[in-house]
Amino acid sequence: DIQMTQSPSSLSASVGDRVTITCRASQSISNYLNWFQQKPGKAPKLLIYTASSLQSGVPSRFSGTGSGTDFTLTISSLQPEDFATYYCQQSYSTPWTFGQGTKVEIK
Amino acid sequence: EVQLLESGGGLVQPGGSLRLSCAASGFTFSTYAMSWVRQTPGKGLEWVSSISGSGGSTYYADSVKGRFTISRDNSKNTLYLQMNSLRAEDTAVYYCAKDLFQGAAAIRGWFDPWGQGTLVTVSS
C-alpha cells in the first residue's frame, strides 16, 4: 500500500497568512494526488485534483504543486472560512490512501 | 445539483450485518463510478470500496474484502454497501462519493462530491 504522510499535523496561522502543507508519498504516484478540505461535522470537499488542477468553484487562493513523491498545497492568503482540516489522497493505485490530515487553526 | 444521501447506519452487534444505501440525484448515475469511504477519529479517512458505473467492476480494501459487498441499482440511482461479519473496528462514519469524471467502465478514485455520511457503530 502507498503511505501518504502530511506535515505538519497542525498549524496556527492568522487571516492573510500564506500557508503551505506538504504531502509525501511512499513511492512515486506521478501526479495522481488530490487535496480535500474538511470542516467539523461535514464531509470532505475536493479542492485540487491531479496535483495542480483547481476544482470548479474553489477559490484561486488555493493551489497545488508537485509530482512523483512530494506535493504541496498552498493557501496564498488565509481567509476565516479556510480554518479546517486538509487531507491529501493518492489516486494512483488501489487501495487509494489518505494522509493523516493537517488541522489549520486560528492563531 | 449533485446530491448524495446515505442511510442505513446504526448500532449493530459484533458479527452482525447492515446495509447502507446512497440515493443519488442531479447527474447521470450510471455513467459514474461510485465509492464508499469511511472515517474514524483514530484511523482518519479510509477508502472502503468502489464500483464502476456499469457495475461490472468492483474494488475492495483488504480490511473489508470477503465481508462487504458493494452494488448499485442504476434504475433506482442508488448505491449499496452490504456489510456482514461486522467488527468493532468497522465503527465509523461511512460516506458515499461520486467519481469526479464520467466513464461507465472506469474507476479513478477521484472523490467528488461526498454525501453527508451515516454513522455505523459496532458494539455489544
Side-chain angles (χ1 to χ4, degrees):
Chain A
D1 297 3
I2 299 174
Q3 308 302 318
M4 307 300 294
T5 304
Q6 288 180 235
S7 60
S9 296
S10 64
L11 64 89
S12 295
S14 301
V15 173
D17 284 354
R18 181 181 183 89
V19 169
T20 298
I21 299 168
T22 65
C23 178
R24 175 164 289 176
S26 60
Q27 66 184 73
S28 177
I29 57 171
S30 184
N31 67 337
Y32 289 92
L33 190 283
N34 310 310
W35 289 99
F36 295 88
Q37 175 194 67
Q38 187 177 32
K39 296 181 179 179
K42 300 293 187 181
K45 172 189 172 184
L46 180 67
L47 298 176
I48 289 172
Y49 60 96
T50 57
S52 60
S53 298
L54 196 66
Q55 171 61 335
S56 176
V58 174
S60 59
R61 62 181 180 271
F62 292 92
S63 63
T65 61
S67 66
T69 61
D70 294 317
F71 302 86
T72 61
L73 172 70
T74 299
I75 309 172
S76 60
S77 178
L78 198 65
Q79 298 301 301
E81 60 269 31
D82 300 337
F83 292 96
T85 301
Y86 294 84
Y87 296 92
C88 62
Q89 176 242 335
Q90 64 83 15
S91 51
Y92 180 77
S93 66
T94 58
W96 295 307
T97 48
F98 293 82
Q100 82 281 10
T102 296
K103 188 173 185 178
V104 176
E105 299 175 301
I106 302 172
K107 182 182 284 185
Chain B
E1 180 192 4
V2 173
Q3 291 196 350
L4 301 170
L5 185 62
E6 300 97 335
S7 61
L11 175 63
V12 61
Q13 292 188 338
S17 297
L18 213 53
R19 188 177 84 154
L20 305 183
S21 299
C22 171
S25 61
F27 64 102
T28 306
F29 183 68
S30 63
T31 64
Y32 288 86
M34 298 291 295
S35 299
W36 290 97
V37 180
R38 65 187 181 185
Q39 185 171 33
T40 63
K43 291 188 69 177
L45 289 163
E46 180 187 17
W47 167 75
V48 172
S49 183
S50 298
I51 186 168
S52 62
S54 65
S57 298
T58 57
Y59 297 155
Y60 295 94
D62 284 348
S63 59
V64 306
K65 199 173 294 182
R67 300 188 299 123
F68 290 12
T69 302
I70 191 170
S71 63
R72 62 192 297 158
D73 185 336
N74 286 344
S75 69
K76 296 182 178 179
N77 288 354
T78 303
L79 174 72
Y80 303 101
L81 185 67
Q82 177 68 44
M83 304 186 295
N84 299 330
S85 303
L86 282 161
R87 307 166 179 167
E89 54 265 35
D90 296 318
T91 295
V93 174
Y94 284 73
Y95 296 99
C96 67
K98 166 187 160 292
D99 243 29
L100 179 59
F101 295 117
Q102 279 184 308
I107 305 175
R108 297 184 180 88
W110 297 346
F111 310 122
D112 180 71
W114 303 43
Q116 87 291 346
T118 187
L119 177 62
V120 172
T121 303
V122 184
S123 175
S124 55

